[in-house]
Amino acid sequence: MAGRYSESLIDEVLHSNDIIDIISEYVNLKRTGRNYKGLCPFHTEKTPSFMVSQDKQLYHCFGCGAAGNVINFIMNIENLDFIDALEFLAEKAGINIEQYKENNGNQEIYIKKQKLYEINRQAAIFFYKNLTKNDNEGIRYLKKRGLNIETIKKFGLGYAINDWEALNKYLLAKGYSQKLIYEAGLVIKREKSSGYYDRFRNRVIFPIISTTKKILGFGGRVLDDSIPKYLNSPESLIFNKRNILYGLNLARSELGKERKLILVEGYMDVIALYQYGIKNVIATLGTALTANHGELLKRYCDEVIIAYDSDTAGESATIRGLDVLNEVGCKVKVIKLDKNMDPDEYIRKNGKDSFLEKIKNALPLLDYKIELIKKKYDLSLNEGKIHFLQESIEIIKKLIKSPVEREIYVKKLSKETDVPANVINSEIYGDNKFKKDYKSKKNNYNDVRRLVHLKPVKSISKDGLVEVEKKIIALCMISKTEYDKIKSHITEEDFSNLLLRNIFSVLGKKYEEDKKIDINLFIDELDIEEAKMLRDIIKNLLPYEDIDKTICELTLSLKRFNIDKKIKSIKNEIKLLEKQENKRKGDVVRINELCGELRRLIEMEKKLMEG
């Protein structure tokens, strides 16, 4: 995507999309006190703990911790990255995003992209109608492959009839220019005469859809002996195979708590697994996995499971894919299917449960590579063992930095080859192993000595004060008795944190109404940020051996901090007034007043220290 969006677009999107309206499309919200509540869409719950503030335009779940603004919500609920979520909400609000790009001159490109998306959408409708309006080779092929009508609709599959100009004539009749139809990659220029002919003919069509539900291009599977067997749209302004993963528009909503994606090779692999209920599956578009694909996968999931074909070509593609994903930092595993089978064939033959078992037993990157090396050599021969160990050790040194993990694999190799673990270790570490270990330990010892001699901070920090105030609120929540004890020492004005000050104030009003606090009803009286803070306090509540002593210590700390703060403020004001060369009568009076207040505060602090 060319250009970067300015901050003003984010502001406009936030301003134009009311969080209650957007979240209400996904969650049944009800007004409760100052906020709205509903069942959290991000985890399973029976009692509503998902709160939305219209005033603050924020949401927070007190069960799972999900929180943020309307953009964060769309990122999580739709599994979109920030830019896609921003565009999603901009489109919903009718905002022309191109005018917000930091670089100029994008308006024409934006308009052209929208027209290309529109042409592709019309082409997809045309292909779908061809497939479903009557009996044809396309529908017969898909049914033969085991697909039902619901799956066909879900993926928007279609059929390009065996006609040279059917689609081109259809789109021209719709009013689209020949130039744009050509730029969309739907037609090809004739070489020996003028005019154009359809790119896709006598093929089952697979629309390639973005995460924002735009049709980027098409894939077509031939129904006769024509070559190539699979044909994709050419590169265009909106179609780049290096940046696209087929099925991601559906899979992003099916990641689950573990955030896993299954990577397969072909369109039919994706569709077959989806129909059998394994929906977190995507594929590259007949190309090798690229670094761009890896970065895209990393944005959506925590783990990638490769399930390529089990033939030799599939194994080679798997190795390349493993290296690409490992380089971009993806956690990756590999499914081993039965010989010469692809995921589509395997699940149709063995069923969903068997495939789920394969996922469960997927091999980590290193294990898979060692398995492939093992297949190359005869381990009953010394020469085979040597080559196997040499190649395996190189991979271990390259991929594993943790000594513990290395030790596990060393033991595994030792068991496989009957070669002692210490011998394998010497190959991995060389003669410098123990010197390196000693040097590392020595450095760690020096680091510890430096840390021990760091001087502690004597005065309470602002963050430390907030923790003191949080503990005071926690004690207030125990019962009205504790609240009354605390109230006898401090008032709400003693709180520096405005959120905690208001919680303390509302708590007092609630205790006046009832001796016990219903936490859910109490939270309804708070602002969403106050409610979030209170939930954090309750979750981290620890028992106290001597509550009275704790109350005294905490309230004393709070009072001392506030007095110190006032003393510093008064001293600063006195210094500023004393620096003035031509003092007015009012300035002298003010200095005297401040000095009196300063003496009073110092005396108050002294009494607090004496207890």
Side-chain angles (χ1 to χ4, degrees):
M1 181 180 60
R4 291 170 61 90
Y5 295 123
S6 64
E7 289 294 322
S8 57
L9 175 61
I10 299 171
D11 295 337
E12 181 67 16
V13 163
L14 292 173
H15 177 75
S16 303
N17 288 276
D18 182 79
I19 197 165
I20 301 298
D21 293 339
I22 297 298
I23 292 181
S24 292
E25 294 179 16
Y26 303 88
V27 180
N28 183 21
L29 295 175
K30 292 183 180 179
R31 184 99 193 197
T32 54
R34 297 171 63 180
N35 304 295
Y36 290 79
K37 264 187 178 179
L39 294 172
C40 180
F42 304 119
H43 81 287
T44 304
E45 63 177 5
K46 294 181 180 178
T47 303
S49 63
F50 185 80
M51 184 180 289
V52 189
S53 168
Q54 191 157 38
D55 293 338
K56 296 289 180 70
Q57 291 290 298
L58 296 171
Y59 71 92
H60 181 81
C61 174
F62 299 106
C64 67
N69 59 26
V70 69
I71 299 174
N72 302 126
F73 180 82
I74 289 299
M75 287 173 69
N76 290 322
I77 199 74
E78 293 285 350
N79 263 314
L80 298 173
D81 65 12
F82 181 81
I83 294 298
D84 283 346
L86 198 64
E87 292 180 349
F88 178 94
L89 288 167
E91 186 174 334
K92 188 175 271 292
I95 299 169
N96 181 351
I97 59 176
E98 290 301 312
Q99 63 183 311
Y100 290 93
K101 283 193 174 175
E102 290 180 353
N103 56 328
N104 298 318
N106 289 296
Q107 191 66 19
E108 289 183 12
I109 294 173
Y110 173 77
I111 292 169
K112 182 177 279 190
K113 280 184 175 181
Q114 300 312 306
K115 287 182 178 179
L116 292 174
Y117 291 137
E118 196 179 307
I119 288 172
N120 279 348
R121 181 176 172 276
Q122 286 296 332
I125 292 170
F126 177 78
F127 291 137
Y128 178 76
K129 285 181 178 177
N130 287 343
L131 182 74
T132 56
K133 68 182 178 182
N134 51 45
D135 185 41
N136 55 71
E137 285 189 63
I139 198 71
R140 287 196 294 272
Y141 171 80
L142 293 175
K143 286 181 177 178
K144 184 180 178 183
R145 296 292 297 265
L147 300 189
N148 57 42
I149 193 65
E150 288 78 16
T151 302
I152 289 169
K153 286 181 179 178
K154 192 73 177 178
F155 284 86
L157 304 184
Y159 172 52
I161 62 174
N162 197 12
D163 187 293
W164 287 91
E165 295 184 54
L167 176 62
N168 193 38
K169 288 177 181 177
Y170 172 81
L171 293 173
L172 288 170
K174 286 283 182 182
Y176 298 108
S177 71
Q178 186 68 76
K179 183 182 177 185
L180 274 175
I181 297 169
Y182 174 71
E183 287 187 25
L186 295 168
V187 294
I188 299 171
K189 280 184 181 179
R190 296 183 184 275
E191 292 181 2
K192 296 182 180 179
S193 61
S194 62
Y196 298 81
Y197 61 91
D198 291 353
R199 180 177 297 276
F200 300 104
R201 303 177 311 281
N202 196 31
R203 291 177 182 267
V204 169
I205 299 296
F206 304 88
I208 298 159
I209 305 170
S210 74
T211 52
T212 51
K213 301 176 183 178
K214 292 183 173 68
I215 297 177
L216 307 173
F218 300 91
R221 203 271 186 200
V222 74
L223 295 175
D224 53 25
D225 296 327
S226 299
I227 296 175
K229 185 177 179 181
Y230 280 94
L231 179 68
N232 289 323
S233 294
E235 299 285 299
S236 73
L237 194 60
I238 61 173
F239 186 78
N240 186 325
K241 288 186 285 188
R242 291 171 297 174
N243 300 324
I244 299 170
L245 291 166
Y246 180 72
L248 186 59
N249 60 307
L250 298 175
R252 65 186 173 80
S253 302
E254 307 289 346
L255 295 176
K257 292 180 181 179
E258 295 178 330
R259 288 175 51 80
K260 291 181 181 179
L261 276 173
I262 300 165
L263 179 63
V264 296
E265 284 189 271
Y267 300 111
M268 286 303 300
D269 293 326
V270 172
I271 296 169
L273 291 179
Y274 191 96
Q275 181 168 288
Y276 274 85
I278 299 173
K279 299 182 177 182
N280 56 328
V281 57
I282 42 93
T284 54
L285 303 178
T287 60
L289 198 72
T290 66
N292 290 22
H293 289 137
E295 293 292 348
L296 184 60
L297 284 164
K298 196 176 174 183
R299 274 157 45 190
Y300 284 97
C301 68
D302 297 326
E303 182 175 281
V304 180
I305 300 174
I306 296 181
Y308 284 171
D309 298 359
S310 57
D311 56 18
T312 304
E315 283 185 353
S316 299
T318 299
I319 293 170
R320 289 194 300 272
L322 283 167
D323 291 336
V324 168
L325 292 172
N326 185 57
E327 282 174 16
V328 299
C330 284
K331 183 181 178 183
V332 58
K333 291 183 178 179
V334 182
I335 289 174
K336 291 180 67 179
L337 298 175
D338 295 350
K339 194 168 184 180
N340 295 324
M341 293 189 81
D342 58 33
D344 173 26
E345 293 170 318
Y346 184 90
I347 201 164
R348 283 193 284 120
K349 181 180 178 181
N350 300 289
K352 178 182 177 180
D353 290 342
S354 180
F355 200 90
L356 288 174
E357 190 65 24
K358 290 286 185 183
I359 295 172
K360 182 181 176 181
N361 296 321
L363 291 174
L365 165 63
L366 187 57
D367 294 72
Y368 179 74
K369 288 203 166 191
I370 289 174
E371 282 286 320
L372 291 183
I373 295 168
K374 188 178 175 182
K375 285 168 63 176
K376 290 165 58 177
Y377 302 108
D378 184 352
L379 299 192
S380 66
L381 302 175
N382 288 336
E383 187 180 4
K385 288 181 183 180
I386 291 168
H387 288 304
F388 169 67
L389 282 172
Q390 285 174 337
E391 289 189 33
S392 298
I393 285 167
E394 284 305 309
I395 291 173
I396 289 171
K397 286 163 71 174
K398 181 181 178 182
L399 297 180
I400 299 181
K401 305 303 177 187
S402 165
V404 174
E405 284 187 65
R406 282 188 174 185
E407 205 62 33
I408 289 169
Y409 281 97
V410 165
K411 287 179 180 178
K412 184 175 180 180
L413 292 179
S414 176
K415 188 176 179 181
E416 293 271 10
T417 59
D418 292 325
V419 173
N422 65 320
V423 175
I424 298 173
N425 267 322
S426 67
E427 285 289 323
I428 293 174
Y429 295 104
D431 294 330
N432 296 320
K433 177 182 185 294
F434 297 105
K435 290 179 183 178
K436 288 177 182 176
D437 284 353
Y438 172 75
K439 187 177 179 182
S440 175
K441 287 174 184 175
K442 187 176 178 183
N443 288 337
N444 289 338
Y445 175 68
N446 289 332
D447 289 340
V448 171
R449 287 186 64 191
R450 283 195 291 271
L451 288 171
V452 167
H453 286 90
L454 284 174
K455 293 181 179 180
V457 178
K458 290 180 180 179
S459 61
I460 186 170
S461 65
K462 192 172 181 181
D463 289 342
L465 178 68
V466 172
E467 290 306 311
V468 167
E469 293 178 354
K470 283 182 177 181
K471 288 175 182 176
I472 290 172
I473 295 293
L475 289 166
C476 288
M477 295 297 298
I478 294 172
S479 72
K480 189 176 185 300
T481 303
E482 272 60 54
Y483 171 81
D484 288 338
K485 289 176 185 176
I486 289 167
K487 184 69 175 174
S488 68
H489 291 286
I490 60 172
T491 69
E492 62 189 66
E493 296 304 319
D494 289 312
F495 285 84
S496 64
N497 185 282
L498 295 178
L499 298 179
L500 293 166
R501 179 184 296 181
N502 193 55
I503 292 171
F504 186 76
S505 175
V506 176
L507 195 57
K509 292 172 185 175
K510 282 293 178 186
Y511 274 131
E512 287 175 10
E513 297 170 6
D514 198 336
K515 290 183 178 181
K516 291 184 178 180
I517 297 291
D518 183 322
I519 186 65
N520 289 316
L521 293 177
F522 178 49
I523 281 175
D524 290 342
E525 297 295 318
L526 302 176
D527 175 91
I528 190 167
E529 290 175 333
E530 296 161 358
K532 180 181 181 297
M533 184 167 279
L534 183 64
R535 282 287 190 183
D536 290 340
I537 290 168
I538 293 168
K539 281 183 180 179
N540 296 310
L541 185 60
L542 296 172
Y544 296 97
E545 291 182 6
D546 190 333
I547 291 179
D548 288 342
K549 182 182 176 183
T550 304
I551 288 173
C552 286
E553 288 175 349
L554 292 173
T555 53
L556 179 64
S557 294
L558 184 57
K559 281 187 172 182
R560 281 187 59 197
F561 182 89
N562 287 327
I563 290 172
D564 285 342
K565 186 178 176 183
K566 289 175 184 176
I567 288 172
K568 286 176 184 176
S569 177
I570 289 171
K571 284 181 177 179
N572 288 334
E573 191 174 346
I574 290 172
K575 282 181 182 179
L576 289 172
L577 288 169
E578 286 181 339
K579 282 180 181 179
Q580 293 180 10
E581 292 182 6
N582 301 315
K583 293 182 181 66
R584 293 172 297 179
K585 185 179 179 180
D587 294 333
V588 176
V589 172
R590 179 61 181 160
I591 289 171
N592 289 331
E593 287 176 352
L594 290 169
C595 287
E597 179 65 12
L598 187 59
R599 282 192 293 271
R600 188 184 71 80
L601 289 170
I602 290 171
E603 187 63 29
M604 189 184 296
E605 187 174 44
K606 185 180 177 182
K607 286 180 180 179
L608 284 174
M609 293 293 289
E610 291 171 353

